Each structure stands twice: as structure tokens, then as C-alpha cells.
Amino acid sequence: MISIDELQAALISQPSAIPGRTMWDLLLARLWKLNSFDALHVFFESLTGLLVKAGKDQDLEPEPERGNAPSQDRIVLSRTSLLGVFVSHAQLEFERLQFYDSVGLWKNLIAYREPTFGMWRKRNGSAGKMSFDTNLQSWGQSWGHGLTELVYGELAEKEGFVGTVSTDDVERLLEFQVEEMQKFGNRIPNEVKAQLRGMAESRVTIPSLSHYIKFLDSWRSGDYPSSFDNLHRYFDYTMHNRDRTFYQYALLNLAILHADFGCHGEAIAAMQETISSARENKDIACLNFSLSWLYHFTKTHPQAMGEIGKGGMLGTEREGLAFLKAKAKESGMWSLLSTSLLSEAKIGLINGESVPIAFENIIKASHLIVTKNIKIVVGPQMLIQSSIFGRLGVMHLSWSYCELFLQCHADQGPFEELLRCTCRSAYVMVQRGRFDDAMARMDEIDVDSLRTLKHYQYWATFSGLLKLIHELHRNNLIAADHLLTQLQASPASDPDIAVTISMLQINLLSRRQSYDLALSALEDLATKLQNEGQDIYYRIRLLSMKAYLLDKCGRAEKGFSVALRAASLAHRARLLPALWEAMGAVSNVLINLEEFEAAAKLLGSIIPQVSSTLSESGAVVVYSDSTKVHECEDCALSAQTYSLLVDSHMGLAGQQKPNTAKRNEYMNKALEFIDCSFAEYSRIQDINGQCEMMAKKATIMHLVGDLMLANDYAAKYLDLKKEATSSYG
């Protein structure tokens, strides 16, 4: 609504037909001429005089106003013109108002024109404080009188103009809120909820869409009974008014509701009925969305595939994606087409297929996003690009894509994508040893957005996962076990997080030296991933973990074939960080078999990508500040690789004759690698790794006969143990 100040600014410079008066002067006089509730009724009744007589569109003679003779020079409006329709509609709506609402309109008119009282008083000296109501003025009433307080008392308490709203206004506002909630996945802000509650109390007719708003808010808050009840209420009204046209959308919302609360069987049954209803009503948009949702749901929850049979309604993965792409092209649903292309790229990565084909699908989706301006798909596109660069070992690019989304596109898509990007960025920081920065990044997320239960659970689970990694590095096994128990109390909604938590459990068991339990948990997890067709990256990592566990059990030779299989799969799928970890596992077996030279060459071939570079001669060159030279930027992997280089070079030194230059050269290199490994372990605060490096350094000093340095390093080892014990009680 236009404010009184805006009207004044627009009309004060416009001359009128009366000399010396502006349009603003005439409007001001007209506003204050309405000096009673009766005058307001007279004004609306007189609006008929602005229109031609009913049924005589050619006759320009206006209908006479009450108490006025018709004017021959007055412009009248046709009842079919825009202004004529507006005037007729305004008069009709006023006549339909109930007494309470018409009194409210009168009071709001008083509040609306109140800022102009000073200007009106300058033009009309007889105007007083009670000029807004001629009845009170003629009776000599004032503020504080019982009658005045009874009728207009609330005007003295309210500040400014309080506009009335119609049912249409409320419905448009509710539609906007629904659109925003569905777009960003958040709950209604408390301020907006208070305004909606105030509208409901103003006796305006509230549309049935308010039940849908309550459904969305209850759903986001995790109140399953209330959301279920409000959903049924909304669609009961909708079905009553619109027959079965919107039946499929009721089922669609019901399916998504069941899925979010873990009722997977009911969700799939409701979605199947949605698809059947959409086909019956020929609702292509609903049909395509339902098929896409069903596809992604069965990918996220493979165990639910048993509910719909092998292959489901969409057949195999490839058949389902091909069908969705074809339907999206036919109906012009470019958002669905771009999402299907990104899903195809993701399938290729999960199955370890061609990386160039994955990039091709991502570029196709990116072209659609740019040309069709599909802002809502920018988040998934950048997430998958971040993922693919992470799999290629280029972590700075992976992190950069997350930062690019957070800085430039965070406000253009669902909050869920913002949350995932933030969590991935924080995870990369933890890998770099920046735990405090990672937790600060997690705390940057808007608290109001975390009022949604699903978002809060994801944020809380990921924050707990980062803390668990940190406590494992610090070797605080009691705190780690407590965090692990909390994380396992409720199943993670994201399969990747669930797998990572299971792998950290194996790490915890290994640090406790419960190798039998660790191997048993590893085998169970590997079987589960194999049956569900999960990401090949995690399956490769489990193979490498198994090889290291077998080494700790004293059966390193048995892990040789396992490590080779992991390296072969990682090389074929171009999963470079997994390949380097597998090559480290192979080198560890070679060291146990006393094949030190082969192990050193193998480690020397991967160390450039892990943490250092090669000189032109092919020798390993370690930078003085090696912590700044990371392509993979995984401190744990770098530290482990350097530690294996220490073992291999000490093995080579042991094969040389005492007091020879070659022996001393190998031992000096081993000392350099110890410093590099200790620096990497220090960045992630891995106490066990730091102590291991100090123990190795003390042993080397003892071998070369420098007992003073050996004692110093042994003392530093004890200090590290003592400091770690005191830090966590």
C-alpha cells in the first residue's frame, strides 16, 4: 500500500484546476472531509455517481450523488473500463464487509491520515484534536473520556498504520511462504509465524493453504503426528473443492513425509500410488518428479529395493536414467534433465567407470544450468565436481568448488546443499589439520536454518564425526568411544556418513588392539557394501585397511593379495588417494618380506603426489617446508607414507656394511623422513604417530652411537605421552 508520504511527494508539485491549489491540497481536504463513520458510508455510496447508469453505456449522464444535482461537465467511467471495474469492485467489497471489519477499516483510515493533521490544521484553523470524528468534537469529548476510550482507545496504543488484509492477500502470502519453504527446505521464521497468527486473530477468512503451511512447519520440526494430521486436513479441503485433480500431490507429499521419518515401505507404496494417479490424470510434471524421486530414494536406501522387487518400476539404473532423460526432454523439464545427467555422472563414479564420461555428463548439465538459468541445480553440480576432484587427489580444487558455492551461490538453492558444502569444506580442513577452523566453519551455519530437524541431525552428526576423528588422532579413546556411541544411536541419513562412522569404529578397535573385533567389523561392513552396491571408493579403502590390520596381527603376507587387489581397483577407477593408500599397504607388506628396495621405489613413485616432488635425477626431494607442498593435502596419508619410507630406508641401511657411506646416506634419509612424518602427525595432533616417530628417531640415534640425542628423543617421547594423558584427563 502507498504511504501518505509517498502520495504527498507525488502530488504536492502537481497543479489542480483550482488556482493556487495543488492536487495534494485537494486530496488532503477530501481525506479530512471523511470525519465520521457515517461519512465513510456516504463516500462509498456516492461512488455510483462516478459510473454511467447501469444498462446505458452510451449515456454519459452520471447518476446523481446523495443530495447533489448531476453535473454536466463531470467525467464518468464506463463500467467495463479498468477504473470503472476498480470503483465497482471497491464499492461492492465495502458493502460485503461485516460491521466489525468496516469499523476496522474506519479506524485504519484515521491512523493512515493522522500524519497530515498538522498540515490540515494550518489550512483549517477550527480543526482540533478530535477532528477525526465530528461527533466527538461536537460533544466536546477528549482523550480519556469513557466513550472515546471505548471506541478509539486502541488507536492511542498502536504505533503507525495497521493495514487490514483480505483473504486474497493472506492466500498470496501463504503461497509465497510455501514456495520459499519448498525451495530452501527451512521452517517458517518466528516473526512471520507471529504475523500469520495475528492475521488469523483479525477474523479474516484463512484459506485452507494454512493447513499446508502447518504441515510443512511440523514436518521440518520433526513432529510426525502433527504433520500427518495437517496434511490430511489440507487435502481434505482440497479434494472437497477440486475433486480428484490434486489427489496425486496428496500422495506425493505423504510419500516424502513417510520417507523422512524412516517409514520406507509406506513411502514406496505411497509413491507407487502417486505414479499411478499421475498417469491416470495425465499429470506429466508430477509423474516425472515422482519417478525421479523414486530412483534417487532407492539409490540412497538400497535396502528398500526389496519392497518393490528387483529392478523396481524403473528397471536397472541405466534404464531408469535413460527413461527420465527422455521424459525430461519431451516435457521440457530442464531441471530434471540436468539432475539426471548429474546422477549418471555420479553412478559412473560410484561404479568406478570412466572419469572422462563423468566429466562429459557434468559439462552437459552445466550447459543446461547456464543456458536455462536453473539456479536450483548449481549446488548439486558443484558438489559432484568437488567430489570428482577429491577422487582425483586434487583436494585444493575440491575445496575451492565448495568455497565458490558458499561465497557465490549459497542463497540460490536449498539449504541442504549449503549444509553439505559446508560439511565437505570442514572435512577437508580436518584432513589438513585445521580442526579449530573446521569447527568454526560448522558454527557459521545459521541457527534459524537448523530449526529444521533433518538439517539439525545432519549438522550434529557431521560435527560429531569431525570431533570423533580429532579424538582418535589425540588417542583419547574414552572420548572417542563416547562420541561413537552417540553417533551410532540413530542411523545417519546419508549413506556416506554412515560408512565413514563404521570405518572410524574399526579404527577405534584397532587402536585398542582388538584386532579380531576390528577384522570382524570390517568383514561385515565390506559384505554390506558389496550387497548394496555402494561406492567403490569405500570398498577399496576397506581392502587397504584389511591389509594394514593383517600386518598388525602378524600376518602381513596374507594381506599382500588384498593390497594388490585394492591397488588394481583404485588404478582402474582412477581413485588416486585410494591408490596411494593401497600402494602404501603393498609397500608395508614388502617391508615385512624384507624387500626394502622394491618398497622404497614404490613409495618414491607416489610420494610426489602425496607430499613432495622429484628432482630431475628421479631422487626424492623433500622440501624444507614440506607441509606447504601438498597435492592430496591429506596429512594422515602423508605421514603414513613418510613413516613407511623411514622403515624401507632403515631396512636398506641394515643391508649395508657398517660404517659405509651408503649406510649413512640411508640413515640420514630416514631421519629426514622421520622429521617430515612427525610434522604431518603434529598437524593433525596424532599422538601415536608422533610418539612412534620419536621412538624411531631415538632408536636410530642409539644405533649411530649418539646416546645423548637418543636419551633426548626418548625423553621427548615420554613428554608427548604425558602431555597427551594430561590433556584429556
Side-chain angles (χ1 to χ4, degrees):
M1 178 176 289
I2 301 175
S3 67
I4 196 70
D5 295 330
E6 291 173 335
L7 281 175
Q8 180 184 359
L11 299 177
I12 199 168
S13 60
Q14 301 294 326
S16 67
I18 302 176
R21 298 292 182 91
T22 64
M23 297 291 291
W24 167 249
D25 296 327
L26 299 181
L27 176 63
L28 188 64
R30 187 59 172 158
L31 281 174
W32 285 95
K33 186 180 178 181
L34 301 174
N35 54 8
S36 67
F37 189 40
D38 179 67
L40 181 65
H41 280 79
V42 172
F43 169 73
F44 277 101
E45 289 176 7
S46 67
L47 291 181
T48 309
L50 299 176
L51 305 173
V52 297
K53 291 184 178 180
K56 298 181 180 180
D57 294 337
Q58 302 301 323
D59 187 0
L60 299 182
E61 182 181 359
E63 294 182 355
E65 294 183 305
R66 180 196 294 185
N68 292 330
S71 176
Q72 298 297 328
D73 58 350
R74 193 172 191 181
I75 300 175
V76 292
L77 304 172
S78 171
R79 293 180 180 272
T80 57
S81 65
L82 290 177
L83 289 176
V85 171
F86 172 75
V87 171
S88 300
H89 189 65
Q91 185 184 36
L92 179 62
E93 289 299 324
F94 181 77
E95 291 176 354
R96 288 178 174 177
L97 287 179
Q98 299 178 6
F99 178 77
Y100 175 86
D101 296 324
S102 59
V103 171
L105 178 62
W106 164 242
K107 291 180 180 178
N108 280 291
L109 174 62
I110 294 174
Y112 181 74
R113 73 184 178 190
E114 182 62 27
T116 66
F117 175 69
M119 290 179 282
W120 173 243
R121 192 168 190 176
K122 290 180 181 179
R123 292 166 173 79
N124 187 0
S126 63
K129 291 184 178 180
M130 311 305 292
S131 295
F132 62 88
D133 192 325
T134 185
N135 298 305
L136 296 178
Q137 189 176 26
S138 61
W139 295 341
Q141 302 293 333
S142 62
W143 289 110
H145 190 273
L147 180 61
T148 307
E149 290 296 325
L150 178 64
V151 180
Y152 297 111
E154 59 184 8
L155 290 179
E157 300 175 1
K158 295 182 179 178
E159 297 182 357
F161 169 67
V162 181
T164 57
V165 293
S166 65
T167 300
D168 292 338
D169 294 332
V170 175
E171 187 166 9
R172 283 194 292 269
L173 176 61
L174 293 177
E175 288 174 354
F176 173 77
Q177 289 299 325
V178 168
E179 182 181 354
E180 291 296 300
M181 293 176 72
Q182 291 180 334
K183 180 179 179 181
F184 296 105
N186 294 331
R187 295 179 61 188
I188 306 177
N190 290 327
E191 298 82 1
V192 177
K193 190 181 294 185
Q195 292 178 1
L196 293 175
R197 192 181 299 112
M199 292 176 184
E201 294 172 354
S202 66
R203 301 187 183 180
V204 66
T205 303
I206 302 298
S208 60
L209 194 61
S210 62
H211 296 299
Y212 193 73
I213 286 279
K214 294 178 182 177
F215 153 68
L216 290 176
D217 193 60
S218 302
W219 172 22
R220 303 281 191 255
S221 66
D223 188 352
Y224 179 74
S226 297
S227 57
F228 192 80
D229 183 49
N230 284 302
L231 178 65
H232 275 277
R233 286 185 183 181
Y234 170 68
F235 281 105
D236 283 345
Y237 283 110
T238 305
M239 296 287 292
H240 179 72
N241 297 329
R242 302 180 183 178
D243 197 27
R244 288 178 58 88
T245 307
F246 285 77
Y247 179 60
Q248 62 269 23
Y249 291 101
L251 293 169
L252 177 62
N253 281 273
L254 183 62
I256 298 174
L257 178 65
H258 282 313
D260 268 10
F261 286 98
C263 305
H264 298 161
E266 293 85 346
I268 291 178
M271 190 56 70
Q272 287 178 316
E273 192 172 351
T274 302
I275 293 171
S276 301
S277 181
R279 284 173 176 166
E280 179 183 345
N281 293 321
K282 298 181 180 179
D283 191 339
I284 302 301
C286 181
L287 175 61
N288 290 343
F289 179 84
S290 303
L291 292 172
S292 177
W293 184 92
L294 184 61
Y295 168 78
H296 289 96
F297 178 78
T298 52
K299 285 299 297 177
T300 307
H301 305 281
Q303 68 279 6
M305 288 293 290
E307 302 286 346
I308 57 176
K310 186 69 174 177
M313 298 182 69
L314 293 173
T316 63
E317 291 179 348
R318 301 293 182 184
E319 292 173 351
L321 281 176
F323 177 79
L324 289 174
K325 288 194 295 183
K327 288 296 182 181
K329 288 180 181 178
E330 289 176 6
S331 54
M333 298 178 65
W334 307 117
S335 175
L336 176 60
L337 180 57
S338 58
T339 304
S340 299
L341 288 169
L342 293 176
S343 298
E344 189 170 359
K346 188 175 181 180
I347 286 178
L349 295 177
I350 289 175
N351 295 334
E353 298 173 1
S354 174
V355 175
I357 292 178
F359 269 114
E360 180 184 352
N361 287 317
I362 292 174
I363 292 172
K364 287 180 180 179
S366 178
H367 174 73
L368 278 174
I369 292 169
V370 173
T371 55
K372 304 298 182 181
N373 194 27
I374 315 172
K375 296 181 180 180
I376 198 172
V377 194
V378 172
Q381 177 216 346
M382 289 194 166
L383 277 172
I384 196 170
Q385 283 183 295
S386 173
S387 176
I388 196 171
F389 281 115
R391 289 165 176 267
L392 292 175
V394 191
M395 291 305 299
H396 63 278
L397 271 181
S398 175
W399 185 75
S400 297
Y401 270 100
C402 292
E403 292 299 304
L404 181 62
F405 176 79
L406 295 175
Q407 296 295 329
C408 303
H409 305 283
D411 58 343
Q412 297 178 353
F415 176 76
E416 185 175 358
E417 308 301 338
L418 169 64
L419 182 60
R420 289 178 180 274
C421 268
T422 303
C423 292
R424 178 166 294 179
S425 177
Y427 185 76
V428 174
M429 289 181 180
V430 169
Q431 285 185 315
R432 294 175 175 177
R434 297 166 53 191
F435 175 75
D436 293 337
D437 293 340
M439 297 311 298
R441 172 61 56 85
M442 295 294 292
D443 292 337
E444 288 175 1
I445 296 176
D446 184 22
V447 177
D448 288 337
S449 300
L450 294 177
R451 291 172 59 233
T452 301
L453 178 63
K454 183 178 180 181
H455 297 162
Y456 176 77
Q457 287 178 334
Y458 189 96
W459 175 85
T461 301
F462 207 92
S463 298
L465 186 146
L466 297 180
K467 292 177 182 178
L468 175 58
I469 294 174
H470 184 59
E471 295 300 336
L472 285 174
H473 286 161
R474 296 175 65 242
N475 204 40
N476 188 356
L477 302 185
I478 297 176
D481 184 68
H482 179 66
L483 287 168
L484 183 64
T485 302
Q486 290 182 323
L487 291 172
Q488 291 178 331
S490 60
S493 59
D494 190 291
D496 293 339
I497 294 180
V499 174
T500 305
I501 292 174
S502 299
M503 294 174 71
L504 291 175
Q505 180 189 12
I506 297 171
N507 190 343
L508 175 62
L509 293 172
S510 176
R511 287 175 180 268
R512 285 178 168 173
Q513 298 182 358
S514 300
Y515 300 125
D516 53 343
L517 295 177
L519 280 172
S520 177
L522 188 147
E523 291 292 347
D524 293 341
L525 180 59
T527 303
K528 179 182 177 182
L529 295 182
Q530 183 68 32
N531 294 336
E532 295 180 356
Q534 288 284 2
D535 198 340
I536 192 174
Y537 173 75
Y538 296 113
R539 286 184 274 166
I540 293 172
R541 287 207 60 196
L542 285 178
L543 290 174
S544 300
M545 290 178 66
K546 184 177 181 179
Y548 280 113
L549 279 175
L550 289 172
D551 170 53
K552 292 178 180 180
C553 294
R555 305 179 63 182
E557 298 83 355
K558 190 175 181 180
F560 187 66
S561 60
V562 177
L564 280 179
R565 183 185 174 196
S568 175
L569 290 173
H571 181 265
R572 189 188 312 161
R574 298 296 185 270
L575 297 174
L576 299 189
L579 174 62
W580 300 329
E581 186 178 11
M583 296 302 286
V586 173
S587 301
N588 185 48
V589 177
L590 292 175
I591 291 171
N592 279 275
L593 296 176
E594 298 185 1
E595 296 290 340
F596 304 114
E597 185 175 359
K601 289 182 179 180
L602 195 59
L603 293 169
S605 66
I606 67 171
I607 200 64
Q609 289 78 24
V610 175
S611 182
S612 61
T613 61
L614 290 176
S615 66
E616 292 181 359
S617 62
V620 176
V621 178
V622 181
Y623 285 85
S624 58
D625 189 5
S626 62
T627 60
K628 295 183 180 179
V629 188
H630 291 272
E631 183 173 341
C632 178
E633 300 187 72
D634 187 341
C635 293
L637 180 59
S638 301
Q640 187 179 50
T641 307
Y642 279 126
S643 178
L644 291 171
L645 275 169
V646 172
D647 296 340
S648 62
H649 280 76
M650 284 304 297
L652 289 172
Q655 293 178 345
Q656 307 300 319
K657 294 181 179 180
N659 301 323
T660 59
K662 200 69 174 176
R663 181 187 177 96
N664 292 334
E665 178 185 353
Y666 285 135
M667 294 184 73
N668 289 333
K669 283 186 177 181
L671 289 173
E672 291 179 5
F673 291 136
I674 286 177
D675 291 336
C676 293
S677 182
F678 183 83
E680 297 300 313
Y681 279 130
S682 299
R683 288 182 68 185
I684 58 176
Q685 303 179 30
D686 192 322
I687 300 299
N688 281 357
Q690 290 175 290
C691 292
E692 182 183 354
M693 292 305 104
M694 285 299 99
K696 288 181 178 180
K697 204 165 190 178
T699 303
I700 293 175
M701 291 297 104
H702 184 76
L703 289 175
V704 298
D706 195 337
L707 299 181
M708 183 176 296
L709 280 178
N711 290 332
D712 289 343
Y713 290 129
K716 191 172 183 180
Y717 170 89
L718 295 176
D719 290 341
L720 286 171
K721 284 284 189 182
K722 184 178 180 180
E723 180 183 355
T725 304
S726 61
S727 64
Y728 49 79

